[in-house]
Amino acid sequence: MVKVGFIGEGKTEQLILQSGSFQKWLSNHGIERVGKIIDAAGSGNLLPHKIQPLRDELLGFDAEKIVILTDLDNDTSIEITQKRIGEYTDQLVLVAVRKIEAWFLADTKLMSLMTDTAIFIEKPETLDEPFYVLQQLLIEKTGRGVGTKPVLARRMLKYGFTIEQAAQHPNCPSAQYFLATLQTLASAN
């Protein structure tokens, strides 16, 4: 079993990574999470001079690999995001294309359950502001919105969001890549 420490760019990523469904997925795939899931409190804290204390905390729990889940935000490529954060041999930077909230939109099963309507967003990862799209969709279909991204994340997790369901969407490659990379990491051990 490979020992992995996780860092999320913000609270939403942290909530997804510490969810029961994801923890079960890790266990089923031979990955032992070590330490707590760290909330970096924004992409500005995912810079080489600021990330080292976070890495040190996880390495103190004997993490063999450190996985960082972040958004592309306004960077022009995944490679730029990865280089901005810093490259270490024991670290994987996995990037949600645009914003992590697109993964919620990609979970078609969840969206349909929450809205009591068949919902299919063709290309969720091309949306500039998936949080806003989700907010408007929930207000329109349920009469109830969400105030903040962490509140949305908690609600989505409560109703059954999983990364695996998002990865089943034909146009959510970053969720697919995230799981495939972790599976490769586990099988390499």
Side-chain angles (χ1 to χ4, degrees), residues 42-165:
S43 63
N45 291 321
L46 293 178
L47 298 170
H49 65 284
K50 291 186 176 182
I51 201 168
Q52 195 57 52
L54 307 178
R55 289 177 40 78
D56 289 344
E57 181 178 335
L58 295 171
L59 293 170
F61 286 98
D62 297 325
E64 298 168 64
K65 290 287 182 181
I66 295 173
V67 172
I68 299 171
L69 178 59
T70 187
D71 293 330
L72 185 62
D73 289 325
N74 295 319
D75 287 344
T76 55
S77 73
I78 290 170
E79 292 77 21
I80 288 172
T81 301
Q82 291 170 328
K83 285 182 179 160
R84 175 178 51 80
I85 292 171
E87 299 180 57
Y88 299 87
T89 57
D90 63 353
Q91 178 173 289
L92 295 169
V93 177
L94 301 175
V95 182
V97 175
R98 303 307 271 161
K99 308 222 183 243
I100 194 75
E101 292 81 14
W103 288 9
F104 297 141
L105 287 168
D107 188 340
T108 302
K109 180 179 172 183
L110 171 69
M111 293 305 302
S112 298
L113 173 73
M114 288 186 71
T115 62
D116 203 27
T117 309
I119 299 283
F120 181 79
I121 306 296
E122 182 67 34
K123 295 184 177 181
E125 291 196 303
T126 64
L127 299 170
D128 287 332
E129 293 297 333
F131 174 72
Y132 177 77
V133 171
L134 271 162
Q135 201 172 35
Q136 295 307 305
L137 187 62
L138 290 171
I139 289 170
E140 175 189 322
K141 299 291 184 184
T142 69
R144 190 174 158 221
V146 292
T148 65
K149 291 178 181 184
V151 168
L152 172 68
R154 285 184 194 94
R155 187 169 170 197
M156 298 308 242
L157 291 163
K158 176 184 172 186
Y159 282 91
F161 169 78
T162 67
I163 300 171
E164 302 95 304
Q165 287 170 189

